[in-house]
């Protein structure tokens, strides 16, 4: 493994932090860590594949071995197809079968369960065209070498008084019998990378196709719809997220052009227009992690709230929530989802620039709440800044955000700030950039958390810290002694001066 791969493994296996800061405790489990390691080693253990699919949909199972690849490959004539023709995928393959009396077929199935054909969508038992009292039990051709039974299979047949004769059967395969990856591997130019995964947002499948896949994009989209029940629209991202509102241009590849959808995350429903707002199903675990840190009565300031995946579950947890987003569409869908989840009166929503939100409503609320804190009644304040491309640049807002002396009873606000890093040591990189914006060291008072791998050599990180008092507060200058003001001279003074002279 490379040093970066080993870093990912070690980093995921434990929370890299500069202190034991309670609000960023890692919930990384060993299977998830193993997935990361396997991802970069090229070996993904079967039992852990489900973990990956929780947040990222893959096309149905990959072909397991070369034998399967040869047996279950579509006909060569489909190579280069750009417009889907399902009829062209018909193919007949020869497979081994046993002729068995229909009365004992169930018993034999149980006894030969490891030898019979195991492929989704294909029947293991078919009628015998020559004898209606018989059934044909299809065997796995990879386990019956040269149509000859092994000793264990022959012993099973002997006990059941079944002749150990293996027959050949012409099995017809159609488009419906092939898996997505098998279809695309057969269609795309030989040796080219095959699209094997997508994000699912309600009824929408979201792809990021590469240049060599674009000529086949409409076929790819239709295959995804055919092979994934519930998917009725497939889109491909045509630009990166580089605009102010964090959405991107997309092309509908197949299916309906309805991009208003409904999703469910952590048992909460959201509705959105996927073409106009930002939504990433891979962040569900992170949304849940942060909300888990909150307690009823806490205050959450969500600076870049989107449609509410932090704000709404926090409000349901009886936190006081201030949620903001610059995108008017996100703001409108945030209000819509507040009503949908019956927390409309528990969230104060704003449609402002993030910096203005921090300098306005956040400053005002902290200034009002901090003087009310007592030893017996303390409120925890959390500020979430999920705009990883830019959020670190907003941290300078906290410099002298409040005026006065910090109260010993007040709990300083906790910031959870997200950022991307391409550095060999992302944790160190994120901390140093945060320190540059804050103008102070965070050594010993922050923690960093690996959220996800965005792209090769690009990590999404979260740094959590309590804003240092010397950063948050601007102390008033000590009062200087003012010189005695001079008394205005009157006409009487001038007269007395004249007499004395």
């Amino acid at each position: 493994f490379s040093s970066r791969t080993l870093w990912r493994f070690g980093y995921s296996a434990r929370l890299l932090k500069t202190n034991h800061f309670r609000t960023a405790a890692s919930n990384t489990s060993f299977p998830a860590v193993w997935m990361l390691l396997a991802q970069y080693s090229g070996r993904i253990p079967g039992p852990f594949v489900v973990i990956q699919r929780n947040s990222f949909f893959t096309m149905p199972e990959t072909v397991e071995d070369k034998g399967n690849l040869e047996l279950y490959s579509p006909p060569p004539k489909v190579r280069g197809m750009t417009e889907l023709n399902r009829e062209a995928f018909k193919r007949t393959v020869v497979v081994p079968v046993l002729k068995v009396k229909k009365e004992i077929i169930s018993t034999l199935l149980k006894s030969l369960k490891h030898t019979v054909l195991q492929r989704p969508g294909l029947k293991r038992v078919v009628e015998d065209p020559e004898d209606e009292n018989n059934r044909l039990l299809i065997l796995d051709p990879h386990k019956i070498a040269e149509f000859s039974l092994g000793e264990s299979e022959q012993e099973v047949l002997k006990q059941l008084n079944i002749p150990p004769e293996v027959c050949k059967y012409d099995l017809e395969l159609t488009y419906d019998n092939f898996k997505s990856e098998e279809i695309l591997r057969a269609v795309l130019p030989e040796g080219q990378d095959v699209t094997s995964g997508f994000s699912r947002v309600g009824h929408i499948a979201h792809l990021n196709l590469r240049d060599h896949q674009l000529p086949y994009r409409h076929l790819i989209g239709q295959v995804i719809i055919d092979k994934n029940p519930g998917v009725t629209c497939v889109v491909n991202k045509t630009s990166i997220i580089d605009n102010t509102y964090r959405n991107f241009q997309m092309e509908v590849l197949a299916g309906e052009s309805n991009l208003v959808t409904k999703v469910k995350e952590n048992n909460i429903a959201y509705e959105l227009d996927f073409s106009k707002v930002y939504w990433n199903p891979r962040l569900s675990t992170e949304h849940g992690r942060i909300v888990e840190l909150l307690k009823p009565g806490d205050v959450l300031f969500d600076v870049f709230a989107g449609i509410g995946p932090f704000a709404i579950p926090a409000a349901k947890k009886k936190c006081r929530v201030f949620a903001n987003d610059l995108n008017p569409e996100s703001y409108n869908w945030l209000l819509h989802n507040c009503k949908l989840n019956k927390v409309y009166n528990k969230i104060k929503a704003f449609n402002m620039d993030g910096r203005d939100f921090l300098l306005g409503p956040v400053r005002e609320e902290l200034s009002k709440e901090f003087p009310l804190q007592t030893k017996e009644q303390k409120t925890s304040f959390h500020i979430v800044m999920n705009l990883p491309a830019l959020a670190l640049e907003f941290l300078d807002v906290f410099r002298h955000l409040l005026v006065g002396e910090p109260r010993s009873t007040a709990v300083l606000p906790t910031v959870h700030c997200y950022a991307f890093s391409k550095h060999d040591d992302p944790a160190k990189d994120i901390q140093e950039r945060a320190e540059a914006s804050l103008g102070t060291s965070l050594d010993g008072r922050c923690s960093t958390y690996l959220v996800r791998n965005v792209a090769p050599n690009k990590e999404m990180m979260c740094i959590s810290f309590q804003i240092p008092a010397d950063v948050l507060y601007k102390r008033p200058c000590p009062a200087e002694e003012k010189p005695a003001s001079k008394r205005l001279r009157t006409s009487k003074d001038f007269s007395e001066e004249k007499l004395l002279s």
Side-chain angles (χ1 to χ4, degrees):
F1 301 117
S2 66
S3 59
R4 187 177 182 86
T5 300
L6 292 173
W7 175 88
R8 283 198 190 103
F9 178 60
Y11 191 88
S12 302
R14 67 191 186 285
L15 176 65
L16 284 184
K17 53 186 178 179
T18 51
N19 70 350
H20 297 289
F21 191 56
R22 74 171 182 87
T23 61
S26 173
N27 63 355
T28 304
S29 61
F30 178 76
V33 173
W34 184 251
M35 274 299 303
L36 282 174
L37 181 61
Q39 178 183 355
Y40 295 102
S41 68
R43 298 188 296 272
I44 301 180
F48 300 129
V49 172
V50 173
I51 296 170
Q52 188 183 35
R53 288 179 186 158
N54 284 340
S55 59
F56 183 67
F57 288 81
T58 61
M59 293 190 182
E61 297 82 358
T62 58
V63 178
E64 297 164 6
D65 56 34
K66 188 175 180 181
N68 272 333
L69 182 63
E70 294 172 352
L71 180 65
Y72 299 119
S73 292
K77 64 182 179 181
V78 302
R79 179 78 65 192
M81 179 187 294
T82 56
E83 184 175 339
L84 183 60
N85 176 8
R86 297 176 182 84
E87 290 296 314
F89 286 83
K90 285 185 178 180
R91 181 189 174 194
T92 300
V93 295
V94 179
V95 294
V97 296
L98 290 173
K99 288 191 176 187
V100 184
K101 293 294 182 184
K102 61 182 181 181
E103 292 82 9
I104 60 172
I105 193 69
S106 297
T107 303
L108 184 60
L109 266 173
K110 294 176 183 177
S111 300
L112 295 181
K113 61 182 179 180
H114 298 299
T115 309
V116 297
L117 183 69
Q118 301 282 351
R119 183 173 172 87
L122 287 180
K123 293 181 179 180
R124 292 175 292 178
V125 179
V126 296
E127 293 185 359
D128 184 352
E130 299 177 354
D131 189 343
E132 62 180 16
N133 294 318
N134 286 342
R135 294 292 182 266
L136 300 181
L137 180 62
I138 303 178
L139 305 177
D140 187 338
H142 302 108
K143 296 177 181 177
I144 307 298
E146 298 180 354
F147 291 79
S148 298
L149 293 172
E151 292 183 5
S152 60
E153 288 85 9
Q154 292 186 39
E155 182 63 30
V156 168
L157 295 180
K158 183 178 180 181
Q159 292 177 4
L160 295 173
N161 295 317
I162 300 173
E165 181 183 355
V166 178
C167 303
K168 294 182 180 181
Y169 177 75
D170 290 339
L171 177 65
E172 185 179 81
L173 301 176
T174 68
Y175 172 82
D176 293 335
N177 300 127
F178 294 113
K179 304 172 187 179
S180 297
E181 189 167 343
E182 292 167 342
I183 292 171
L184 298 181
R185 184 185 291 111
V187 169
L188 268 63
E190 199 165 0
Q192 292 280 18
D193 193 27
V194 175
T195 298
S196 59
F198 57 88
S199 297
R200 183 161 177 177
V201 182
H203 68 275
I204 302 168
H206 169 218
L207 302 174
N208 291 321
L209 295 181
R210 299 183 180 180
D211 289 343
H212 73 270
Q213 298 163 341
L214 293 179
Y216 309 90
R217 62 189 184 280
H218 298 295
L219 181 146
I220 292 171
Q222 189 58 55
V223 170
I224 290 175
I225 288 178
D226 291 344
K227 301 297 181 178
N228 295 274
V231 172
T232 58
C233 175
V234 179
V235 300
N236 179 47
K237 184 170 70 175
T238 58
S239 66
I240 61 173
I241 300 174
D242 59 357
N243 60 24
T244 305
Y245 296 151
R246 290 198 296 168
N247 51 19
F248 49 80
Q249 298 298 315
M250 62 180 69
E251 177 188 10
V252 176
L253 303 183
E256 60 183 330
S257 296
N258 176 22
L259 296 178
V260 174
T261 189
K262 188 171 185 175
V263 297
K264 197 167 186 180
E265 180 183 274
N266 300 327
N267 296 317
I268 296 177
Y270 302 89
E271 293 180 353
L272 62 136
D273 185 335
F274 189 54
S275 66
K276 296 179 179 178
V277 304
Y278 178 78
W279 179 265
N280 191 332
R282 296 178 181 87
L283 295 178
S284 60
T285 300
E286 182 61 13
H287 295 151
R289 182 182 77 89
I290 294 297
V291 173
E292 186 66 25
L293 303 175
L294 306 177
K295 297 178 181 177
D298 285 356
V299 177
L300 173 68
F301 300 105
D302 194 349
V303 185
F304 312 105
I307 66 168
F310 287 113
I312 290 174
K316 280 185 166 290
K317 204 171 181 178
K318 298 183 179 179
C319 296
R320 289 195 293 130
V321 179
F322 297 75
N324 171 73
D325 202 278
L326 177 61
N327 182 354
E329 289 286 344
S330 295
Y331 171 73
N332 290 331
W333 283 106
L334 170 63
L335 296 178
H336 174 83
N337 287 308
C338 287
K339 292 178 181 177
L340 182 67
N341 289 282
K342 300 179 181 179
V343 292
Y344 188 75
N345 296 325
K346 299 178 181 179
I347 295 178
K348 292 185 179 180
F350 301 84
N351 180 207
M352 306 171 66
D353 177 80
R355 188 173 293 270
D356 294 336
F357 175 66
L358 290 166
L359 292 171
V362 174
R363 171 191 273 168
E364 181 181 340
E365 188 66 19
L366 292 177
S367 299
K368 182 177 70 175
E369 288 290 331
F370 272 19
L372 304 178
Q373 302 274 33
T374 64
K375 290 183 178 179
E376 294 75 24
Q377 188 172 1
K378 293 182 179 180
T379 301
S380 292
F381 298 87
H382 292 260
I383 303 172
V384 174
M385 305 175 70
N386 185 20
L387 182 63
L390 295 172
L392 289 175
E393 299 176 15
F394 284 76
L395 293 181
D396 66 300
V397 173
F398 296 119
R399 294 192 192 187
H400 298 166
L401 185 66
L402 304 180
V403 176
E405 291 289 339
R407 293 172 60 90
S408 59
T409 56
V411 179
L412 294 169
T414 298
V415 174
H416 308 282
C417 185
Y418 294 83
F420 295 130
S421 177
K422 294 183 178 181
H423 198 275
D424 285 340
D425 187 346
K428 180 181 178 182
D429 174 48
I430 297 302
Q431 180 177 333
E432 289 178 350
R433 288 158 60 193
E435 291 172 339
S437 290
L438 291 168
T440 191
S441 172
L442 292 176
D443 280 342
R445 45 186 178 180
C446 74
S447 62
T448 51
Y449 182 85
L450 173 61
V451 178
R452 70 186 187 97
N453 175 246
V454 178
N457 300 323
K458 184 178 181 181
E459 318 291 354
M460 180 177 175
M461 310 288 294
C462 176
I463 182 168
S464 297
F465 59 90
Q466 283 187 308
I467 307 173
D470 57 345
V471 172
L472 184 62
Y473 284 92
K474 179 181 181 181
R475 292 172 172 80
C477 297
E480 299 177 359
E481 292 188 13
K482 296 181 180 179
S485 58
K486 294 183 180 179
R487 184 173 64 87
L488 294 176
R489 302 178 73 181
T490 64
S491 57
K492 182 180 178 182
D493 295 327
F494 283 107
S495 301
E496 288 176 353
E497 263 184 33
K498 197 170 183 180
L499 290 170
L500 290 171
S501 60

